[in-house]
Amino acid sequence: MLQVKPYEPVSSDSEIQHYFRILKRYKWGIFSLAFLLTLLATLITFTITPLYKATATLLIESEKANVVSIEEVYGIDSGRREYLFTQFEILKSRLIAQRVVEKLKLATHQEFIVDEKEGFSPVSFVKQFLAINVGKKQAYTVDELHHKTMRAVVDEYLRRLSIAPVRNTQLVKISFEAASPKLSALIVNTHAEVYIESHLESQLMMTERASSWLNERLAVLKQKLDDSEDNLLAYQNQEELVDIDGVKSIEARELQELNQQLSVARQKLQQSENIFNLIQRNQGSLGSLIALPDVLNHALIIKVSEAVQNSKTKISELKGVYGPKHPIMIAAQLELSSAEDNLASQVSLLISGISNEYKKLSVDVQNLEIAIKDKGTHYRELSRLDSRQQELKREVASNQQLYDAFFTRFKETKEVGEFESANARIIDPAIAPIIPFSPRKRVIVGVTFIMSILLGMGMVFVYEYLNDGIRSVEDIEQQLKQRMLGLLPKQKKLKSNALPLRHYFDKEQHAFSESIRTLRTSLLLTNIDKNVKVVSVTSSVPGEGKTTVSINLAFALGQLEKVLLIDADMRRPSVAKRFDLPAYQEGLSNVLSGTHRVEECVVRDEESGIDVLTAGTLTTTPQELLASQALADFIEKAQEQYDRIVIDTAPTQAVSDAIIITQQADSLIYVVKADSTRQRVIKQGLSRLGAMAGRIDGIVLNQVDLDKAAKYGEYHGYYDQYGYNTEQAQKAS
């Protein structure tokens, strides 16, 4: 017996290897698509008129302080980033573009006027548009036609123009694309010059407007200044004011002096009033009056009081020497009396003087108060006059200041208007380019080739995703969760013709023969521990080659055992036709219905040595016959006569006959056509069989293109692990 290694599942490759095999399988298609698209892109690229791009560098300077302060007239803060952004937008404006078009007369230039036969242009588009509308009886005036043409040319001009500021600088790149290198450079330089001229013109226009407005305002301000001066002069004449400031200052000093005098007088009056009140209270007693501090401390009173005291001291000394009648004592007494009378007289005079001084001070205080009141009234009147005068003077000064400011600004504007500095200058003027900017033929061809490769790869992956047929051992094990019993290589034949019946025995067909033997070996090894006699063969849909597998498997088993091949596909039988038996040949249906005996229906194939039982006479109730007890009895008796029974059943997706027959089979082989039947259909068939039959021995992958598979490595090692490959078979032969 042939010694064969047990079947081992083929290990699955990585995802990257899987994708690589897909790309390898379709590599020529991908490269063909890339070649065609690249060739097409190349042809198109070489038919495109080359465009040259000239670039100039422009420096947009922030506005600096002019010789005179006139920036406010323009109202632009050039120190901010918004100023630069504004200038960038002005550079891209239609106004600048239209001025360049008019200055260079681009509307009549060959670059912008192309005949309809030569291609598209804005002007030709306008002509076509006008021609179409002629039928609508829509007429245009010369101005309207010129406007439409100019608008189209400006649109085309702006489409070719590009403005790109240089980051973190005040530089800006001005570029233009044209078929003529010289024209592109000329347009770029002209565009920069027109922008600078436009700025100067706008400055001049604003200066003229400012000068005109200032001139108008000066006349108004001059009139207001004259009116305010007239009002001041009229007021001074009306109030007879000469030097109100000097008079007011004198009045202020006098008022201040009167207030000081009044303060001193009031203090004196207060003191005098106190003394006067004390005197009034002690008016009857001389001693009390003399005891008053103001009287006692008076110099004259002190002197007279000392004379009285001396007289008293003298009398006191003389009393010890002389008697009261002594002339000396009498003279001393007379001297004392004269001194006391003098003291009383002096006190009376002093009190009379104090009273008179009190009255005088009272009158002085009253007079000072009246004088201060009159002086204050006069001072307030002067203040009112001075306030009104100062108000008129301030109005005159304000009008004078405003007039002077406007007059100065008017002079500045007039002088500055004669000299304006440009806000930009050309740092690097454009020169005529030598190399075309577009189309970039190499880049286009290279990018097209790369994108075509990527497109082809994407299409391949999409196709592989949509076409989910079984192609490899990996698909069988991972997608179907089944083992692979064998595969049959694709044979060269006409599509309308079936595989020759004796193809298995053809010595030239080594690969096919070895694949059938491999299938036989796998089946025997799979059921080595069981006595499997009845083998059922089915598929998902018709055309997958289940009958071919059944017949050739029976041939291979017939070389080792006694085999019976049964055609149980009673709806579309094909075994009889393959064996060149008549269509009316009695078979399984006749046996099950009891019209014929088994011996009458079985046909012996002498070349292969197997017995064949065809489907027999067609019946309208094939499923009832297969589900009857007669089939079970027939299979049981056939097992006594044959070592192996191979049953060709109907597809699982068409009818349920295969499910009924598998109940009587020991082994089930499921045939799948490579890269054809969808996985969903196969899984549904396997699911139905698995639920009813319980066990499926494996999958036979039919019609495998081994040449393609060998290139892509999808079945590499499958034959080698058994020692069955074409080269070895040829050498063995």
Side-chain angles (χ1 to χ4, degrees):
M1 182 177 180
L2 181 64
Q3 298 295 324
V4 183
K5 294 187 295 182
Y7 173 80
E8 295 180 359
V10 180
S11 60
S12 61
D13 298 333
S14 64
E15 289 292 330
I16 296 178
Q17 291 175 336
H18 173 68
Y19 292 139
F20 179 76
R21 288 199 306 271
I22 293 175
L23 295 177
K24 187 176 180 181
R25 183 186 307 124
Y26 297 100
K27 63 180 179 180
W28 294 117
I30 294 174
F31 282 112
S32 298
L33 176 64
F35 175 76
L36 292 176
L37 293 180
T38 304
L39 179 61
L40 179 61
T42 303
L43 294 176
I44 295 175
T45 301
F46 278 90
T47 59
I48 299 176
T49 302
L51 295 178
Y52 294 84
K53 185 175 184 179
T55 302
T57 304
L58 187 68
L59 172 62
I60 301 179
E61 298 179 340
S62 298
E63 296 280 348
K64 299 180 181 180
N66 293 326
V67 180
V68 291
S69 301
I70 195 62
E71 288 84 357
E72 295 83 356
V73 176
Y74 305 122
I76 299 177
D77 184 4
S78 59
R80 296 184 299 176
R81 295 175 61 236
E82 289 79 358
Y83 173 77
L84 296 178
F85 293 152
T86 302
Q87 299 307 311
F88 297 156
E89 294 301 322
I90 293 175
L91 274 169
K92 296 185 292 185
S93 65
R94 293 185 64 88
L95 178 61
I96 301 297
Q98 185 169 350
R99 287 189 177 184
V100 176
V101 170
E102 293 174 350
K103 185 174 183 180
L104 298 180
K105 299 180 180 179
L106 296 180
T108 58
H109 197 278
Q110 180 181 358
E111 185 79 12
F112 292 86
I113 297 181
V114 182
D115 293 337
E116 297 179 2
K117 295 181 180 180
E118 296 178 0
F120 172 81
S121 72
V123 178
S124 64
F125 173 79
V126 172
K127 291 180 179 179
Q128 294 175 5
F129 178 81
L130 295 177
I132 293 173
N133 285 273
V134 168
K136 299 180 180 180
K137 297 181 180 180
Q138 184 176 0
Y140 293 96
T141 63
V142 176
D143 292 338
E144 291 176 341
L145 182 59
H146 174 74
H147 175 72
K148 288 181 176 292
T149 303
M150 184 60 66
R151 184 174 60 182
V153 173
V154 171
D155 290 340
E156 179 67 12
Y157 180 92
L158 292 175
R159 187 185 66 82
R160 300 187 185 188
L161 178 70
S162 60
I163 305 296
V166 181
R167 190 174 182 181
N168 298 327
T169 67
Q170 296 177 203
L171 300 176
V172 59
K173 299 286 187 180
I174 305 175
S175 304
F176 192 85
E177 300 175 13
S180 171
K182 295 182 179 179
L183 178 63
S184 63
L186 176 61
I187 290 177
V188 169
N189 292 328
T190 305
H191 192 95
E193 293 172 358
V194 168
Y195 164 73
I196 297 173
E197 293 173 359
S198 175
H199 178 78
L200 294 175
E201 290 176 2
S202 63
Q203 281 188 325
L204 180 59
M205 185 182 301
M206 287 187 291
T207 302
E208 291 177 353
R209 290 180 179 177
S211 299
S212 177
W213 180 78
L214 288 173
N215 192 21
E216 294 176 358
R217 291 298 300 167
L218 278 175
V220 176
L221 292 175
K222 176 62 176 174
Q223 184 62 42
K224 291 180 64 176
L225 177 61
D226 294 342
D227 293 343
S228 61
E229 290 176 346
D230 293 342
N231 293 335
L232 175 61
L233 183 60
Y235 180 75
Q236 290 176 343
N237 294 333
Q238 178 183 348
E239 301 296 337
E240 298 180 352
L241 300 177
V242 179
D243 186 10
I244 195 170
D245 292 334
V247 176
K248 185 179 178 182
S249 62
I250 294 173
E251 292 291 332
R253 287 196 300 272
E254 291 179 354
L255 182 61
Q256 183 178 6
E257 291 175 359
L258 288 175
N259 284 324
Q260 292 176 355
Q261 293 176 8
L262 177 62
S263 177
V264 173
R266 284 178 175 174
Q267 292 178 359
K268 291 181 179 181
L269 178 62
Q270 183 66 34
Q271 295 175 0
S272 179
E273 184 179 6
N274 293 335
I275 298 173
F276 180 78
N277 291 334
L278 289 175
I279 291 173
Q280 293 297 323
R281 287 196 295 271
N282 298 281
Q283 186 69 34
S285 173
L286 181 61
S288 298
L289 292 174
I290 295 174
L292 293 175
D294 292 327
V295 176
L296 182 63
N297 294 329
H298 196 273
L300 184 59
I301 300 300
I302 292 173
K303 185 177 180 179
V304 175
S305 295
E306 289 177 354
V308 172
Q309 187 64 32
N310 290 334
S311 297
K312 288 181 178 180
T313 302
K314 185 177 179 180
I315 290 174
S316 178
E317 291 176 353
L318 292 177
K319 279 183 180 181
V321 179
Y322 303 102
K325 299 296 187 176
H326 190 276
I328 296 174
M329 285 293 293
I330 293 172
Q333 287 292 337
L334 290 174
E335 185 180 354
L336 175 61
S337 177
S338 176
E340 288 178 350
D341 291 339
N342 187 24
L343 177 61
S345 175
Q346 293 298 326
V347 170
S348 298
L349 291 174
L350 179 60
I351 289 178
S352 176
I354 291 174
S355 298
N356 293 333
E357 185 179 4
Y358 169 71
K359 293 178 181 179
K360 179 180 179 300
L361 288 174
S362 297
V363 173
D364 291 342
V365 169
Q366 291 178 0
N367 292 334
L368 286 173
E369 289 178 348
I370 293 171
I372 289 174
K373 183 177 181 181
D374 294 340
K375 187 65 67 176
T377 301
H378 188 237
Y379 182 78
R380 285 192 294 274
E381 179 64 20
L382 290 176
S383 297
R384 184 185 65 79
L385 296 175
D386 184 58
S387 176
R388 176 57 180 166
Q389 180 178 246
Q390 293 300 326
E391 180 181 351
L392 294 175
K393 285 183 177 181
R394 285 193 298 271
E395 183 176 357
V396 171
S398 176
N399 291 333
Q400 183 67 50
Q401 184 179 4
L402 186 60
Y403 176 79
D404 293 341
F406 268 75
F407 184 78
T408 303
R409 184 58 51 84
F410 173 73
K411 288 295 185 181
E412 291 174 356
T413 305
K414 185 176 181 180
E415 295 298 328
V416 171
E418 298 176 357
F419 175 76
E420 296 291 349
S421 60
N423 71 324
R425 53 193 173 94
I426 300 176
I427 299 298
D428 188 10
I431 59 177
I434 301 176
I435 302 175
F437 171 75
S438 67
R440 298 180 180 178
K441 299 179 181 179
R442 294 183 179 179
V443 175
I444 293 176
V445 172
V447 171
T448 303
F449 180 76
I450 295 174
M451 295 304 295
S452 300
I453 292 291
L454 296 177
L455 175 62
M457 294 170 61
M459 294 174 63
V460 165
F461 287 135
V462 171
Y463 174 76
E464 287 290 314
Y465 175 78
L466 297 177
N467 184 16
D468 58 351
I470 300 300
R471 301 185 184 87
S472 64
V473 179
E474 179 184 358
D475 291 342
I476 294 174
E477 294 180 348
Q478 293 187 0
Q479 303 298 330
L480 303 182
K481 309 300 181 183
Q482 299 291 332
R483 71 164 37 244
M484 184 172 180
L485 287 178
L487 61 83
L488 303 183
K490 186 176 182 180
Q491 302 300 302
K492 296 180 179 180
K493 60 182 181 65
L494 296 176
K495 294 183 179 180
S496 59
N497 297 331
L499 194 68
L501 178 64
R502 310 298 175 180
H503 198 68
Y504 172 76
F505 299 103
D506 189 349
K507 294 181 180 181
E508 300 296 331
Q509 305 298 329
H510 302 288
F512 181 78
S513 301
E514 293 300 333
S515 66
I516 296 297
R517 294 189 185 97
T518 301
L519 172 61
R520 178 188 65 185
T521 303
S522 298
L523 178 63
L524 294 177
L525 291 177
T526 300
N527 301 285
I528 194 171
D529 57 341
K530 296 190 301 180
N531 184 20
V532 175
K533 285 192 172 184
V534 183
V535 179
S536 174
V537 181
T538 187
S539 63
S540 301
V541 294
E544 294 194 76
K546 62 178 181 58
T547 301
T548 300
V549 173
S550 300
I551 293 174
N552 288 277
L553 179 61
F555 287 160
L557 291 171
Q559 292 179 329
L560 304 176
E561 304 169 329
K562 186 178 181 180
V563 177
L564 173 63
L565 174 62
I566 301 175
D567 186 359
D569 188 355
M570 295 185 178
R571 302 176 189 272
R572 295 180 60 183
S574 57
V575 173
K577 184 178 180 180
R578 295 286 186 90
F579 281 88
D580 292 331
L581 297 175
Y584 53 85
Q585 174 67 40
E586 293 82 1
L588 181 60
S589 62
N590 302 97
V591 173
L592 297 181
S593 61
T595 59
H596 294 75
R597 291 180 294 116
V598 176
E599 295 78 4
E600 296 174 345
C601 298
V602 173
V603 178
R604 178 75 175 181
D605 183 44
E606 297 298 338
E607 185 174 351
S608 63
I610 67 171
D611 291 341
V612 179
L613 179 63
T614 64
T617 305
L618 295 180
T619 177
T620 57
T621 58
Q623 195 170 98
E624 285 75 4
L625 289 177
L626 295 176
S628 65
Q629 184 62 33
L631 177 63
D633 296 340
F634 166 71
I635 295 297
E636 184 178 357
K637 291 180 180 180
Q639 291 183 38
E640 297 175 358
Q641 301 178 15
Y642 296 95
D643 298 322
R644 202 78 60 179
I645 301 173
V646 179
I647 305 176
D648 179 25
T649 65
T652 59
Q653 293 298 313
V655 291
S656 58
D657 296 358
I659 299 175
I660 298 174
I661 295 175
T662 53
Q663 303 297 321
Q664 309 300 328
D666 302 321
S667 176
L668 175 60
I669 297 175
Y670 203 92
V671 179
V672 175
K673 184 177 180 181
D675 202 13
S676 177
T677 310
R678 305 197 65 174
Q679 293 182 18
R680 178 179 58 83
V681 177
I682 300 173
K683 290 179 180 179
Q684 289 178 355
L686 291 173
S687 177
R688 295 179 64 187
L689 289 174
M692 301 299 297
R695 175 181 174 180
I696 300 173
D697 286 341
I699 303 295
V700 175
L701 197 59
N702 190 24
Q703 300 186 33
V704 178
D705 190 344
L706 291 181
D707 294 335
K708 184 187 297 185
K711 294 180 181 179
Y712 308 137
E714 292 180 337
Y715 303 101
H716 179 67
Y718 183 78
Y719 285 108
D720 295 344
Q721 65 179 333
Y722 298 105
Y724 295 147
N725 56 41
T726 304
E727 294 181 358
Q728 292 177 351
Q730 290 176 348
K731 291 179 181 179
S733 61

